[in-house]
Amino acid sequence: MKKILVCLILVMTQMSYGQQFLTAEQSDPKNFNWIKGFPPAKEDILSAIDGSFFNFPALRYSVCHMREFFPTVNVASAQENRYTWKTKLDQSIDNVTFTPLESKKTMTWKESLQKNYTDGIIVLHKGAIVYENYFGELNKNGTHALMSVSKTLTGTLGGMLVAEGILDENKKCSDYIPELKTSAFGDATIRQVLDMTTALQYSEDYSDPNAEVWAFSAAGNPFPKPANYNGPTNYYDYLKTVKKNGKHGEAFGYKTVNTDVMGWIITKVLNKPLAQILSEKFWEPLGTNFDGYYQIDGAGIAFAGGGFNANLRDLAMFGEMIRNNGYFNNQQIYRQKLLYNFHQNLLYTILHLQLHFLLIF
């Protein structure tokens, strides 16, 4: 297969149809005074404690400044052999037209970026940057919250350890993490967790105030818990409480907790923090130019399923590595066997990569 293009987009948020929001231009952080002044005016302070940092349009500022709201741990970039992108910018891309799904009106590529509240985008063609643009609070030297793109990194790390024989994909999670024995993950295999085919009593419906995702979030909240709170106090403690609902391996179900279990397993078998592992396995050998970082909970546990923050050009290096079967920056970063596992388990791989790394063959 000939691989010719990698397209990477960081989109701030997806707006719901039928609701009235500020446009991308109107919601640009440059139009507001958030966190400006010495001290900032009371109405311009954003905080994770009261949730104001996550409200629209303030979120457009927050996703580029997450470590100002949460405790974090650094993911070190390369200190030598840093990679420099070749650029062959093609301005005609802005004028490409298309008709969006469920629409009869055409728009240009340039127009679509504002419609999608895009913060940053890079298009690669044959290893060179042919298109690059930034909006809002993001710039070429900045970092952006990856949210669920973090799952792609954790899943690839898990796949690497399987390919290297460090993890046995047929073993149960409880073989590596005994504390999970009585949870839903106790009899789930490593492969089932990687593929998200575990049967869990866990809802990720953010519109449902009773969905389990909110209990998971409360456990990972690094700030002091309310006086009447009696639930788990960190991510790992919560994972031990997840109940089983059905039979593992029968159906795919997108659930963030799978990735956080994988993050726990990875750190346990390598006896290193996840941030250090990601740096050693990817960020350093890729030749990244900027440190990334993970948001952490009150126990210092990295949020493997949605807490990574990175520079867009550095993240594009990861995408280009995938496109080239693990080869990048003059070295083979992961074994070819991992590529075979990707092809054999496309459901998990495509779900995450298609949203953030568009591979055209």
Side-chain angles (χ1 to χ4, degrees):
M1 293 183 294
K2 185 178 180 181
K3 306 166 184 63
I4 60 172
L5 176 70
V6 174
C7 173
L8 175 67
I9 307 176
L10 285 177
V11 179
M12 191 285 297
T13 187
Q14 178 67 44
M15 297 299 142
S16 301
Y17 290 107
Q19 298 185 31
Q20 296 299 316
F21 290 98
L22 297 176
T23 65
E25 293 87 349
Q26 293 168 339
S27 63
D28 190 317
K30 295 180 179 63
N31 297 328
F32 301 86
N33 291 315
W34 295 313
I35 320 297
K36 292 180 181 178
F38 307 98
K42 184 176 180 180
E43 63 271 18
D44 295 327
I45 295 175
L46 304 178
S47 172
I49 296 176
D50 64 13
S52 58
F53 87 110
F54 212 68
N55 295 330
F56 181 79
L59 184 58
R60 295 204 66 190
Y61 174 91
S62 304
V63 289
C64 298
H65 299 272
M66 293 299 266
R67 72 182 338 163
E68 297 172 24
F69 301 101
F70 292 98
T72 62
V73 60
N74 226 44
V75 174
S77 59
Q79 299 306 302
E80 55 186 28
N81 196 30
R82 287 186 167 179
Y83 188 78
T84 301
W85 283 108
K86 297 177 181 178
T87 57
K88 298 180 181 179
L89 299 180
D90 183 355
Q91 301 300 333
S92 67
I93 292 175
D94 272 334
N95 300 318
V96 171
T97 60
F98 66 96
T99 303
L101 293 175
E102 301 181 359
S103 174
K104 295 181 180 180
K105 184 179 179 181
T106 61
M107 66 170 59
T108 65
W109 169 267
K110 184 177 181 179
E111 291 170 338
S112 73
L113 301 182
Q114 291 296 295
K115 288 290 185 181
N116 285 316
Y117 294 78
T118 302
D119 287 338
I121 179 168
I122 282 178
V123 178
L124 306 178
H125 182 242
K126 297 182 178 179
I129 295 175
V130 296
Y131 188 89
E132 183 175 21
N133 216 334
Y134 298 90
F135 305 89
E137 193 67 13
L138 191 62
N139 58 59
K140 186 168 66 174
N141 298 323
T143 58
H144 194 288
L146 269 60
M147 304 298 189
S148 283
V149 188
S150 307
K151 294 177 176 63
T152 302
L153 301 172
T154 307
T156 306
L157 282 173
M160 284 182 69
L161 297 188
V162 170
E164 293 170 2
I166 297 173
L167 286 178
D168 183 339
E169 65 178 20
N170 297 311
K171 279 193 172 184
K172 295 180 173 60
C173 293
S174 56
D175 291 332
Y176 296 100
I177 309 287
E179 297 94 323
L180 291 173
K181 187 172 184 179
T182 59
S183 76
F185 299 103
D187 61 345
T189 67
I190 298 298
R191 174 48 58 192
Q192 288 165 345
V193 169
L194 282 171
D195 292 345
M196 289 196 182
T197 58
T198 50
L200 311 178
Q201 183 179 312
Y202 182 89
S203 169
E204 207 147 316
D205 180 359
Y206 290 93
S207 65
D208 179 2
N210 297 313
E212 287 81 2
V213 65
W214 296 116
F216 175 64
S217 298
N221 187 337
F223 304 109
K225 306 290 193 276
N228 61 347
Y229 181 82
N230 58 6
T233 57
N234 61 62
Y235 289 127
Y236 291 173
D237 280 350
Y238 178 83
L239 296 174
K240 293 185 286 186
T241 71
V242 178
K243 304 299 182 184
K244 191 175 180 180
N245 183 21
K247 185 177 179 181
H248 297 314
E250 291 190 340
F252 171 83
Y254 182 89
K255 302 179 191 300
T256 296
V257 287
N258 283 296
T259 308
D260 283 279
V261 163
M262 183 51 54
W264 190 359
I265 291 170
I266 291 168
T267 58
K268 191 68 174 287
V269 298
L270 295 182
N271 195 31
K272 295 178 181 178
L274 187 61
Q276 181 181 345
I277 295 169
L278 185 63
S279 174
E280 292 175 352
K281 294 290 188 179
F282 289 139
W283 244 233
E284 290 182 1
L286 283 172
T288 57
N289 287 237
F290 298 89
D291 292 349
Y293 63 89
Y294 274 108
Q295 295 153 225
I296 57 176
D297 66 12
I301 299 166
F303 181 17
F308 190 54
N309 295 254
N311 174 268
L312 184 56
R313 281 191 165 206
D314 287 346
L315 193 59
M317 295 177 193
F318 181 88
E320 183 70 359
M321 175 193 69
I322 297 292
R323 186 183 77 86
N324 286 297
N325 304 330
Y327 187 85
F328 189 79
N329 202 18
N330 299 315
Q331 59 184 310
Q332 190 70 36
I333 295 176
Y334 64 69
R335 295 186 180 185
Q336 292 290 322
K337 186 178 179 181
L338 177 59
L339 178 66
Y340 171 80
N341 287 340
F342 278 164
H343 289 170
Q344 292 298 305
N345 299 280
L346 282 177
L347 183 61
Y348 179 88
T349 306
I350 290 176
L351 175 71
H352 296 95
L353 292 183
Q354 73 178 356
L355 296 177
H356 316 290
F357 304 97
L358 175 61
L359 304 181
I360 300 179
F361 301 103

